[in-house]
Amino acid sequence: MTLLLGIDTGGTYTDAVLMRGEQAVVASAKALTTRNDLAIGVGNAVRAVLAEAGVGPEAISMASLSTTLATNALVEGQGGRVGLIYIGFREGDPERHGLSAALRGDPILSCAGGHGHSGAEAQALDAAAIEAFLREHGRDVGAFAVAAQFATRNPAHELQAARLVRDITGRPVSASHQLSARLNGPRRAMTALLNARLIGMIEALIGRAEAILREIEIAAPLMVVRGDGALMSSAQARERPIETILSGPAASAVGARWLTAADLALVSDIGGTTTDVALLRDGRPAIDPEGARVGPYRTMVEAVAMRTTGLGGDSEVQIVGEGLAGGVTLGPRRLLPVSLLGAEAGPIVHAALDRQLASAVPGELDARFVRGILDADPAGLGPREVALLARVGDAVHPLSDILRARIDHGALARLAERGLVQLGGVTPSDAAHVLGLSSAWDLSAADKALRLFGRRRTGGGALLAGSAQDMARLIVDRLTAQSAEALLETAFGEEHVGFDAPPEQLARHELMRRRLASATEFVRLDTGLKVPVIALGASAASYYPAVAAALGTQAIVPDHAAVANAIGAVVGRIDMRRSGTVTVPGEGRFRVHLATGPQDFPDLESALELLESVLRDEARAAAMDAGAGEVAVQATRDVRSAGVEGREVVVEARIEVEAVGRPRVATGT
């Protein structure tokens, strides 16, 4: 029996599924995600699913991985240190376009160079400035990003800068023109920056995952799900990790279609860190025409039109300080649930909780913990961060034992952003344990943590909650409300006829909130969804019937909803797209913009023929490199013209080429 193995590494669980071709699920299994080394969780899940199916590793003909690692890293502000080389742009661009904020203090060089719209050099590249920058920062960053003005028209300066990075530092480098063929230099720079930030994380995940599969004696090739739901090889994912953002959500949309055969529905996947919502239309998830957006970042990566919200089972519960009534809000930061920490480090966790409960006065750090990461790398840290990291070590501690001064709070936040420590506290997962919706971890620890949290005071001076049960219901009610807002935001964003406000404002409008809370006395408000909701994730069955009821629609929780991402990783296809442009710099001159530089032709058809031939070869080669068997290639041309003095004149032409195929599968033994 030849089987396909799908793996999904989520924020809390790693899922594995075995399928017989694309026809049937043979077995599925879950294991806790091991954040310090994701491959350990991968190995545990794969061994469990092989045992569940009663088959050996030789039966696996293909393995495919979807991961929320890149998405979660960007949402949570994590990733390695990077250096940005920004060539030929105006002064102030990094601040105006959010690049300075995305760098978070990492080094940037703005220097002379770049090209014009036609591909001609605008000014000479300041190679000396780049060399000095690399010699200064080559040791304290993990990767570099390079973006030059109009590099999609002529990439010469990006290529030269990338060579200098490799020659002087030996570090990985992301060149913006290799990630997108579209204009908008600052957006391409953002994409290259985030790609560079993710290289180390994805390299570690894929390398370790492949090592674990070899250890289990699975010889099949490893594929990785892209953000548009298509598959690529592990080697391609290493080079372009930014394309794996929304990989997990994209796999869930593909899996939702396979599980339900739905043509029109909202797909909502609630994980440990995020809730990801997409629209299935005509049975296919739509691609975001503006490029994938994750958290505050808008990239130029082609991905499923997905709205990702920092709301999940492990979202941080925070008290709302404004107003007399009080309440809680959830996310966007992920915490280790106290119930999970209780299961892993029971004596330490219970001793701290009992001590805090015995105090008559609630503490700011009650039910808050920190866990160190084994072999955390302190490179690039300041003295205070290094000292704090050493204090944490690789154990679990109450935060009150670690934070000895107010200034330590900032240092701890920086360690968490780098992924060097993990913070723990009250989450919806703890509330689910108290309400009997989950029994995976330590109920007693969850109960104590919620009692501590409920002792806090609202703006009016009243207790937030009188019992752990009341606190748990308050948290779950808030999760229901924020989930409904996430669904409404996506629905508003997909309306063909827009409204006079952004979707995120409309979804959280006072009228919407009053309707969802049934909080009117004389006015009847009616709103909701006109399409069903396919709810995915391990906790979907616990939460989404109430979410759908609040929105007046149907919740579809299919069989295998808890492993839909892993299923989507198996049933996807390889789909490589390449695009290029022909411009007209002067009458009778048609310029093809290639990676090797611009080429001019005296007629449009000759220019288009060359460009299409190059793009077809590139797309086919990329599909074959990704592991496709038979590849089908198709091209579309878009020639734009304008009326000039009574005649039509070609202004620009663009060609899009798509190469599609199913992965080659190894023959089982």
Side-chain angles (χ1 to χ4, degrees):
M1 179 169 59
T2 298
L3 299 174
L4 307 180
L5 171 65
I7 307 164
D8 174 67
T9 61
T12 303
Y13 286 106
T14 294
D15 304 331
V17 64
L18 288 177
M19 297 187 65
R20 187 179 296 108
E22 298 177 39
Q23 284 71 48
V25 175
V26 174
S28 64
K30 285 181 172 289
L32 277 174
T33 293
T34 46
R35 299 270 289 197
N36 59 315
D37 184 351
L38 294 175
I40 295 174
V42 169
N44 293 339
V46 171
R47 291 185 181 95
V49 80
L50 290 174
E52 178 70 20
V55 299
E58 70 281 354
I60 307 302
S61 60
M62 185 192 81
S64 185
L65 173 71
S66 75
T67 176
T68 61
L69 176 63
T71 307
N72 293 348
L74 297 184
V75 168
E76 297 176 14
Q78 296 183 359
R81 277 176 58 80
V82 299
L84 173 62
I85 300 172
Y86 199 53
I87 303 169
F89 294 95
R90 290 174 296 179
E91 186 177 351
D93 260 9
E95 289 74 25
R96 280 191 295 271
H97 296 284
L99 291 167
S100 295
L103 280 164
R104 304 196 308 270
D106 289 354
I108 178 174
L109 170 70
S110 295
C111 68
H115 293 77
H117 184 274
S118 68
E121 185 177 81
Q123 51 186 330
L125 179 66
D126 190 348
I130 295 174
E131 290 178 13
F133 178 75
L134 294 174
R135 296 189 193 285
E136 180 181 357
H137 296 289
R139 291 180 175 273
D140 60 4
V141 302
F144 287 88
V146 177
Q149 189 175 41
F150 283 110
T152 54
R153 291 290 190 254
N154 189 335
H157 287 179
E158 281 196 3
L159 293 172
Q160 185 177 346
R163 282 194 297 271
L164 290 172
V165 171
R166 285 189 287 267
D167 292 346
I168 294 173
T169 72
R171 299 295 195 190
V173 57
S174 297
S176 78
H177 77 279
Q178 295 172 338
L179 297 169
S180 175
R182 290 184 289 169
L183 298 176
N184 192 328
R187 182 88 63 82
R188 278 188 291 103
M190 177 71 77
T191 305
L193 186 163
L194 298 177
N195 189 72
R197 196 178 293 288
L198 293 169
I199 283 175
M201 301 178 75
I202 293 295
E203 168 65 35
L205 170 62
I206 292 174
R208 288 284 293 123
E210 289 180 329
I212 288 287
L213 293 179
R214 288 193 300 270
E215 181 182 306
I216 299 172
E217 299 184 347
I218 293 175
L222 179 65
M223 309 294 293
V224 180
V225 181
R226 286 198 322 235
D228 60 358
L231 304 179
M232 60 180 168
S233 69
S234 60
Q236 291 169 330
R238 283 181 163 100
E239 293 177 0
R240 304 159 75 102
I242 190 67
E243 293 188 0
T244 70
I245 61 171
L246 301 180
S247 164
S252 75
V254 174
R257 164 65 177 177
W258 187 90
L259 287 168
T260 65
D263 289 321
L264 182 64
L266 283 172
V267 179
S268 186
D269 183 5
I270 180 169
T273 306
T274 61
T275 291
D276 308 307
V277 185
L279 180 69
L280 279 182
R281 181 181 277 130
D282 298 325
R284 299 187 65 180
I287 301 300
D288 190 338
E290 298 298 319
R293 185 182 188 98
V294 181
Y297 307 118
R298 172 69 77 177
T299 72
M300 299 190 83
V301 176
E302 290 189 348
V304 169
M306 181 83 63
R307 289 184 184 260
T308 296
T309 304
L311 174 67
D314 299 344
S315 289
E316 179 179 15
V317 179
Q318 303 180 69
I319 190 168
V320 176
E322 299 84 10
L324 298 178
V328 297
T329 188
L330 308 179
R333 185 166 61 173
R334 177 187 184 271
L335 299 181
L336 293 170
V338 177
S339 51
L340 173 59
L341 289 172
E344 294 183 346
I348 294 172
V349 171
H350 281 280
L353 295 173
D354 291 338
R355 184 174 66 251
Q356 292 162 2
L357 282 169
S359 173
V361 180
E364 178 188 1
L365 300 179
D366 283 357
R368 297 298 301 268
F369 297 87
V370 60
R371 183 170 72 182
I373 301 297
L374 189 66
D375 299 325
D377 181 7
L381 297 179
R384 183 168 294 277
E385 286 87 356
V386 170
L388 193 61
L389 186 62
R391 198 182 307 161
V392 174
D394 60 1
V396 174
H397 305 269
L399 264 188
S400 55
D401 291 356
I402 296 297
L403 299 179
R404 299 172 182 172
R406 179 61 60 179
I407 197 171
D408 285 342
H409 287 254
L412 183 69
R414 290 188 288 275
L415 291 178
E417 286 177 357
R418 288 276 304 273
L420 300 177
V421 299
Q422 294 173 279
L423 301 178
V426 173
T427 69
S429 293
D430 298 309
H433 277 74
V434 170
L435 295 177
L437 301 175
S438 176
S439 58
W441 304 320
D442 187 338
L443 169 60
S444 177
D447 182 87
K448 293 175 183 178
L450 264 65
R451 277 192 280 150
L452 283 167
F453 203 96
R455 297 198 309 175
R456 302 186 184 195
R457 299 282 177 174
T458 68
L463 285 176
L464 187 59
S467 68
Q469 290 276 339
D470 290 344
M471 190 68 241
R473 279 189 286 270
L474 189 64
I475 293 169
V476 170
D477 287 347
R478 188 61 205 153
L479 186 142
T480 300
Q482 288 185 223
S483 297
E485 290 171 356
L487 289 163
L488 285 169
E489 183 179 331
T490 301
F492 276 121
E494 292 292 341
E495 290 284 352
H496 288 302
V497 180
F499 293 82
D500 61 355
E504 56 271 21
Q505 291 183 16
L506 292 168
R508 294 162 182 81
H509 192 279
E510 175 68 11
L511 292 176
M512 283 288 177
R513 290 185 166 178
R514 296 283 290 273
R515 157 63 182 85
L516 294 176
S518 300
T520 59
E521 188 175 359
F522 304 111
V523 177
R524 186 180 71 191
L525 300 175
D526 188 15
T527 188
L529 293 176
K530 296 173 70 174
V531 296
V533 175
I534 302 172
L536 306 175
S539 61
S542 297
Y543 302 131
Y544 268 77
V547 175
L551 294 171
T553 190
Q554 175 191 11
I556 302 171
V557 185
D559 292 340
H560 308 297
V563 292
N565 293 36
I567 291 171
V570 170
V571 300
R573 61 180 184 172
I574 292 169
D575 187 341
M576 295 293 171
R577 292 180 289 274
R578 295 292 184 269
S579 61
T581 305
V582 175
T583 58
V584 186
E587 188 169 357
R589 292 169 60 205
F590 299 89
R591 179 165 293 172
V592 182
H593 297 275
L594 302 172
T596 53
Q599 290 188 34
D600 288 351
F601 291 84
D603 63 279
L604 176 63
E605 188 57 34
S606 297
L608 291 173
E609 284 182 2
L610 174 67
L611 179 59
E612 183 172 329
S613 174
V614 169
L615 295 176
R616 280 179 174 272
D617 289 345
E618 288 180 358
R620 183 184 296 277
M624 297 295 289
D625 288 345
E630 294 185 7
V631 177
V633 183
Q634 62 179 14
T636 57
R637 296 183 178 184
D638 179 17
V639 179
R640 301 167 191 171
S641 58
V644 178
E645 296 181 349
R647 62 192 182 100
E648 286 294 307
V649 176
V650 173
V651 176
E652 187 175 278
R654 186 172 179 82
I655 297 179
E656 303 269 355
V657 172
E658 184 177 32
V660 179
R662 278 290 298 161
R664 295 186 297 271
V665 294
T667 303
T669 58

